[in-house]
Amino acid sequence: MNEGKDQYRLKLNYPASWWKNMWREALPSGNGKIGAAVYGGIKDETILINHEELWHLGKKDEVPDVRHTLAETRKWMSQGEYMAASWNLTNTLKEKGYKTRLASRLPLGALKVTMPCEHAFKNYGRVLNMETGEVSVKWRDGQKIYERKLFVSRADDLIAYEITSNRASIRADVYLALHESEGGKLSDRVPLLVESAEGKVKAPYYYYATKNEDGTDLGAVLRVIPTNGQIKEGQGCLQLINTGKILILVKVFVKGERQKDWKRLTEELANIESNYHKLLTRHVELHRPLFQSAKIELTAHDDPRSNEELLLEAYSGEAPTTLIEKMWAYGRYLFISGTRPKGQPFGLYGLWFGDYRLMWGHHMANENIQMMYWHSNVGGLIEFTPALFDYYDRMMEDFRINARHLYGCRGIFIPAGTTPGIGVPNQVVPVIMNWTGAAGWLAKHFYDYFLFSGDQVFLKEKALPFMREAALFYEDFLELGDDGFYKIYPSVSPENTPENHMPKDGQPLAHPMPTTINATADFAIIKELLSHLIEGSRIVGEKALDKIDQWEAMLAKIPDYQVNDDGAIREWMHPDFTDRYEHRHLSHIYPIFPGQEFTREDNPTLFAAFETAVKQRLIGAQTGWSLVHMSSIYARMGDGGKALECLNILAQSCLMNNFFTLHNDWRDMGICMNSQTAPVQLDANLGWINAVQEMLIYVSPSLVKLLPALPSKWKQGKVENLCFTTGKISFSWDLEEKRFSGKIMAQRETAIRIVLPEFCQYNFENLHANIRVIDSNCLDIKLSKAEVLILQSV
């Protein structure tokens, strides 16, 4: 099944080559539960196998009751002793022996395939077909042409892998094993996994299992189905000799018992269709509609160039539009392959991780996990978002204990970093312990899901209860200042330190003194949370009007945003803290993005101050994910040129040849943070989707702007089935011909304002009676469910 557009293919002419850590450059396949990452070496191919439920090395302690520290911290802050205040809660927890530790994802194992090389290879290439989820590796060895193909099936919940050749003489050794990774001997790092690992050969099956630290087994069963030839039981492997074609099927298990699961999976594999093409067809019937639920075309013709060729052009400073377009599609592919509606939320490594103690392998809620879901509503993938809500809902009791024991407050306190089942603080440092905004920021995703789905049962039974507990914390935590406005302290603007509190000796500390008073981001999150609570409560007819009155009174006590001497929004609304521009986080821009507190039309002066604040951020301090965040902000501000420039810089600095995004540029070229570690972080892959969408459409419950930040380079294009809160919209444009056409499809009763691109003229004379013309390119429209409105330039 090789049909499809080059737009939806990643084509590489070079194998994975990152020294000792080649999983970083593998090509990924997945069904949202199981991930397979293909290295693509000719002689020795490795397929890394992962499962969403596998974690290890975590430790959960009981949170001691240290609520008394809040009054102490505030006393220190009132006296200007900010460093002492910053460390007070953190040090108290450490003194009490509190040692909760983040878990790390655990690789399930690896499928290993060894094939002889009779000649020096020629015509090597590897391809990922995003429309099908299939990874293929192809090469010539003398007169023989080999191809190996793999996908992870949504229909049959297995890995299907086929080896073919133009000559009926394939030889291969096949087995399953622990995955090897950089960082020392596995026996030193994960001794239990090594000691309990077992591989058994019983043709045509291979059995693999090992034991996790919780005492449960994990493993897989492999079935080999050759066409002709022979299968032999080799030393620790299945040997295939002179076969015409080889089909390998792998099923995995976690949290089980090896003997029982081996027997169960053997029976399942024995009854599986043994035809690769039929298995692929069943899978594609489920995969393709998800991948194609929305489409964007920014180029008129297919570009056949490889990833390496596209990256080489991007490295000159301007990414080809083909790359921009392909990255949008690739982010969507990763998302639907790396999570599922009733599974675990998408993680920073997706389902393609090859180390046993990943750097930042947890779920991080001071930006990263939110970024990975920004795109989903407008991009037509809203059905995947419940995994995010379920994940946090499962740890609500931890969050309530955190609020009581750490701060003496009702409601919930969500630590920025969590892993499944560990919702108590685990990164015991001031920049995490003193930031209270995670629950409020996540609440936006709950409410946005309601806005796009229209599901009032979800609003009443899931969103509002979560939001009320987030607000309850602030009811207790906020203090009134002498001026009659709220004072929030301790307060953190993730993960920045004010300029006047940076070390004077230039010592490179990650977060020298992040604990402040009145961080702008904190107040922006609280304003949004309370506004949504009030609106949502009225929608479902909540009778607790006393709470609504209380929330409205709280809103009135939140101070106005402040502007510094540079004309930029202050990051901290307190005179003791000065702005620092050399930082990656952009949390203080929250009211504009990801929030929607107001637009340029509503308040042009204040909007311009936020704009200035973004422009002050230094490029050399950015990361992969911060560049896509900045791109989305510039798009929200209507500056398509700057939005595209951010993606260009990311393509230069933090993009690997398999198009995985990295935290930073390990080459230290000065356009991003200097760090040699450069971990994989797929948040930028998913943030890229949102940045492109923001350039093409702005969506709020009352307003849709079409092509609000169109880069001049995107002369023509086409969009299909992007979403607004009550429907879908498709449109196309041509800048040079000054043409625009669009189709709006109402999925529910719709009343919304539409702003059309200004580069065209429109004739509104024959529109529906429920359309009111506001301006030459602006309409107020009302549509019934299933009604369609066509808009066309003249």
Side-chain angles (χ1 to χ4, degrees):
M1 191 170 289
N2 293 319
E3 74 279 359
K5 291 185 174 183
D6 283 320
Q7 175 189 1
Y8 300 136
R9 291 165 173 269
L10 302 190
K11 300 195 293 185
L12 295 98
N13 297 323
Y14 206 75
S17 57
W18 189 284
W19 178 241
K20 289 188 177 180
N21 239 343
M22 288 185 283
W23 62 267
R24 294 164 58 100
E25 294 183 356
L27 287 178
S29 183
N31 64 3
K33 179 167 66 173
I34 301 167
V38 183
Y39 287 23
I42 287 175
K43 181 181 178 184
D44 294 307
E45 178 154 271
T46 299
I47 295 95
L48 167 64
I49 303 172
N50 289 316
H51 192 284
E52 63 175 353
E53 296 291 347
L54 280 180
W55 296 76
H56 70 150
L57 304 179
K59 180 179 184 294
K60 184 176 179 180
D61 269 3
E62 183 178 340
V63 181
D65 192 336
V66 293
R67 69 186 72 190
H68 66 278
T69 61
L70 179 59
E72 299 168 354
T73 297
R74 288 176 168 171
K75 180 180 178 182
W76 284 114
M77 297 186 86
S78 299
Q79 296 171 356
E81 298 290 340
Y82 292 115
M83 188 61 75
S86 185
W87 282 93
N88 189 37
L89 172 58
T90 292
N91 284 342
T92 302
L93 285 173
K94 289 180 177 180
E95 288 165 4
K96 289 185 173 290
Y98 179 74
K99 292 181 179 179
T100 287
R101 182 176 64 239
L102 284 166
S104 182
R105 291 185 179 273
L106 170 62
L108 186 143
L111 168 60
K112 307 287 286 187
V113 178
T114 298
M115 295 175 61
C117 296
E118 299 174 8
H119 304 85
F121 69 86
K122 293 182 179 179
N123 303 329
Y124 171 87
R126 51 190 179 125
V127 176
L128 167 62
N129 185 338
M130 293 183 269
E131 290 185 282
T132 65
E134 187 180 30
V135 176
S136 62
V137 179
K138 195 171 184 178
W139 72 98
R140 176 184 288 275
D141 185 353
Q143 297 301 310
K144 297 178 182 177
I145 298 173
Y146 290 104
E147 185 172 19
R148 296 189 292 234
K149 300 178 292 185
L150 173 145
F151 68 95
V152 184
S153 175
R154 294 180 182 276
D156 297 296
D157 200 29
L158 55 71
I159 299 168
Y161 179 86
E162 185 178 60
I163 307 172
T164 59
S165 173
N166 66 334
R167 301 290 181 92
S169 57
I170 302 172
R171 289 182 292 156
D173 291 349
V174 178
Y175 64 100
L176 296 162
L178 283 172
H179 180 256
E180 294 288 341
S181 71
E182 187 180 8
K185 290 183 177 181
L186 282 184
S187 57
D188 294 334
R189 289 183 292 154
V190 283
L192 178 60
L193 286 173
V194 175
E195 292 165 6
S196 60
E198 183 180 2
K200 289 176 59 177
V201 183
K202 189 174 181 181
Y205 294 95
Y206 189 96
Y207 299 92
Y208 157 75
T210 187
K211 191 176 295 293
N212 202 356
E213 60 191 11
D214 63 359
T216 65
D217 284 339
L218 56 121
V221 178
L222 175 155
R223 178 189 175 196
V224 175
I225 307 166
T227 300
N228 301 319
Q230 296 178 287
I231 305 177
K232 290 186 176 181
E233 295 182 1
Q235 186 66 37
C237 69
L238 288 165
Q239 293 182 329
L240 295 113
I241 302 169
N242 295 326
T243 61
K245 184 165 55 177
I246 302 170
L247 174 61
I248 299 172
L249 303 177
V250 180
K251 276 187 167 270
V252 307
F253 69 92
V254 299
K255 299 182 178 180
E257 183 180 333
R258 64 187 68 185
Q259 297 299 334
K260 290 182 179 179
D261 285 295
W262 282 347
K263 181 180 179 181
R264 173 178 61 85
L265 295 182
T266 299
E267 293 171 354
E268 291 180 13
L269 286 170
N271 294 316
I272 288 288
E273 171 70 55
S274 59
N275 181 295
Y276 181 88
H277 180 76
K278 290 182 179 179
L279 289 168
L280 180 60
T281 299
R282 277 211 299 270
H283 159 72
V284 171
E285 287 173 355
L286 300 175
H287 174 90
R288 182 172 272 145
L290 296 171
F291 179 70
Q292 294 184 339
S293 60
K295 296 180 182 179
I296 288 175
E297 294 182 10
L298 303 175
T299 52
H301 305 288
D302 251 6
D303 188 339
R305 287 183 291 176
S306 68
N307 284 24
E308 293 93 347
E309 292 170 301
L310 294 172
L311 284 172
L312 187 61
E313 182 177 332
Y315 205 68
S316 67
E318 190 169 325
T321 303
T322 300
L323 175 59
I324 302 293
E325 179 185 65
K326 190 167 289 194
M327 284 291 291
W328 177 82
Y330 187 44
R332 288 168 56 83
Y333 169 80
L334 292 172
F335 186 66
I336 65 172
S337 303
T339 185
R340 58 195 180 105
K342 294 298 183 182
Q344 290 293 324
F346 196 91
L348 280 171
Y349 292 79
L351 289 175
W352 308 285
F353 41 87
D355 284 346
Y356 289 84
R357 173 55 86 176
L358 290 167
M359 186 172 184
W360 306 328
H362 52 282
H363 297 299
M364 192 67 172
N366 68 357
E367 163 110 10
N368 311 86
I369 199 168
Q370 291 94 332
M371 173 178 287
M372 292 188 287
Y373 283 84
W374 285 341
H375 66 92
S376 59
N377 295 328
V378 171
L381 295 173
I382 190 173
E383 66 193 88
F384 287 83
T385 312
L388 178 70
F389 309 140
D390 293 344
Y391 171 76
Y392 284 101
D393 278 347
R394 287 191 288 267
M395 295 184 285
M396 287 294 283
E397 190 53 38
D398 279 355
F399 303 151
R400 295 184 186 106
I401 291 170
N402 296 340
R404 290 197 305 270
H405 286 193
L406 299 176
Y407 288 112
C409 296
R410 297 169 296 166
I412 55 175
F413 170 83
I414 299 181
T418 58
T419 50
I422 303 180
V424 296
N426 39 63
Q427 298 159 291
V428 186
V429 289
V431 71
I432 302 299
M433 296 305 307
N434 298 332
W435 183 60
T436 61
W441 192 339
L442 288 165
K444 172 178 173 54
H445 290 261
F446 281 77
Y447 197 69
D448 284 351
Y449 180 86
F450 155 69
L451 290 174
F452 278 82
S453 68
D455 186 344
Q456 290 200 19
V457 174
F458 172 86
L459 174 63
K460 186 170 185 176
E461 297 181 0
K462 204 154 194 175
L464 287 175
F466 181 90
M467 294 161 67
R468 280 195 292 265
E469 294 218 47
L472 195 60
F473 176 87
Y474 289 122
E475 290 174 24
D476 292 348
F477 188 74
L478 294 173
E479 272 195 358
L480 273 181
D482 295 336
D483 58 0
F485 289 98
Y486 280 130
K487 182 178 180 182
I488 182 168
Y489 68 130
S491 180
V492 172
S493 187
E495 296 170 6
N496 203 359
T497 289
E499 185 63 42
N500 59 323
H501 288 273
M502 289 295 291
K504 303 307 178 189
D505 58 5
Q507 186 179 0
L509 300 175
H511 317 291
M513 209 298 293
T515 308
T516 65
I517 300 170
N518 291 3
T520 296
D522 276 341
F523 277 131
I525 289 169
I526 295 168
K527 287 175 74 174
E528 178 184 73
L529 171 65
L530 295 175
S531 298
H532 286 167
L533 258 176
I534 294 166
E535 180 181 82
S537 297
R538 286 177 172 153
I539 287 171
V540 300
E542 290 284 355
K543 297 179 181 179
L545 291 179
D546 57 326
K547 293 298 295 185
I548 292 178
D549 291 343
Q550 181 181 359
W551 295 328
E552 288 179 333
M554 290 175 70
L555 277 173
K557 295 171 186 174
I558 294 176
D560 293 334
Y561 302 125
Q562 299 176 8
V563 180
N564 66 18
D565 292 340
D566 296 325
I569 284 296
R570 288 176 57 89
E571 193 161 350
W572 299 277
M573 297 157 58
H574 189 278
D576 285 0
F577 308 99
T578 59
D579 287 299
R580 176 178 173 231
Y581 302 133
E582 191 175 353
H583 204 261
R584 60 201 176 276
H585 276 266
L586 294 147
S587 308
H588 57 311
I589 315 299
Y590 193 102
I592 307 301
F593 180 83
Q596 295 177 299
E597 191 174 322
F598 62 93
T599 65
R600 189 188 301 275
E601 292 81 3
D602 298 330
N603 192 333
T605 301
L606 189 60
F607 196 93
F610 279 94
E611 200 168 24
T612 300
V614 179
K615 291 178 179 177
Q616 293 285 0
R617 275 303 201 253
L618 301 182
I619 286 297
Q622 301 313 304
T623 62
W625 57 261
S626 75
L627 284 164
V628 292
H629 189 168
M630 190 179 288
S631 178
S632 292
I633 291 172
Y634 276 126
R636 192 62 68 86
M637 292 176 169
D639 193 336
K642 283 286 189 183
L644 183 56
E645 181 184 0
C646 291
L647 299 186
N648 288 339
I649 295 169
L650 171 56
Q652 279 182 287
S653 58
C654 300
L655 202 56
M656 302 193 79
N657 67 353
N658 63 346
F659 288 170
F660 276 4
T661 51
L662 302 177
H663 175 267
N664 57 275
D665 185 354
W666 71 100
R667 297 161 297 203
D668 192 17
M669 295 295 285
I671 53 175
C672 140
M673 275 185 68
N674 176 18
S675 174
Q676 294 180 354
T677 49
V680 169
Q681 282 197 216
L682 302 186
D683 48 3
N685 279 103
L686 274 56
W688 188 298
I689 314 172
N690 185 75
V692 171
Q693 290 173 183
E694 291 280 352
M695 292 183 232
L696 299 175
I697 187 170
Y698 169 84
V699 175
S700 79
S702 60
L703 177 66
V704 172
K705 295 181 181 180
L706 300 178
L707 303 182
L710 183 67
S712 59
K713 188 177 179 182
W714 298 357
K715 301 294 184 185
Q716 56 186 320
K718 183 179 179 182
V719 165
E720 293 183 22
N721 294 327
L722 290 184
C723 299
F724 58 99
T725 53
T726 56
K728 291 186 177 182
I729 188 161
S730 301
F731 54 90
S732 62
W733 73 94
D734 190 314
L735 282 176
E736 295 177 342
E737 298 290 333
K738 299 187 183 305
R739 286 190 290 103
F740 177 87
S741 63
K743 182 171 74 170
I744 298 172
M745 300 153 282
Q747 295 175 299
R748 306 196 303 278
E749 291 291 321
T750 292
I752 202 161
R753 176 163 290 184
I754 300 287
V755 179
L756 299 169
E758 294 182 351
F759 60 81
C760 295
Q761 294 182 341
Y762 307 91
N763 184 352
F764 297 142
E765 291 182 2
N766 298 317
L767 289 177
H768 192 285
N770 285 332
I771 309 301
R772 188 162 68 95
V773 178
I774 305 300
D775 205 341
S776 61
N777 69 320
C778 182
L779 302 168
D780 280 349
I781 67 172
K782 290 185 178 179
L783 300 174
S784 301
K785 181 179 179 181
E787 195 170 359
V788 174
L789 175 65
I790 304 296
L791 297 168
Q792 185 78 44
S793 63
V794 296

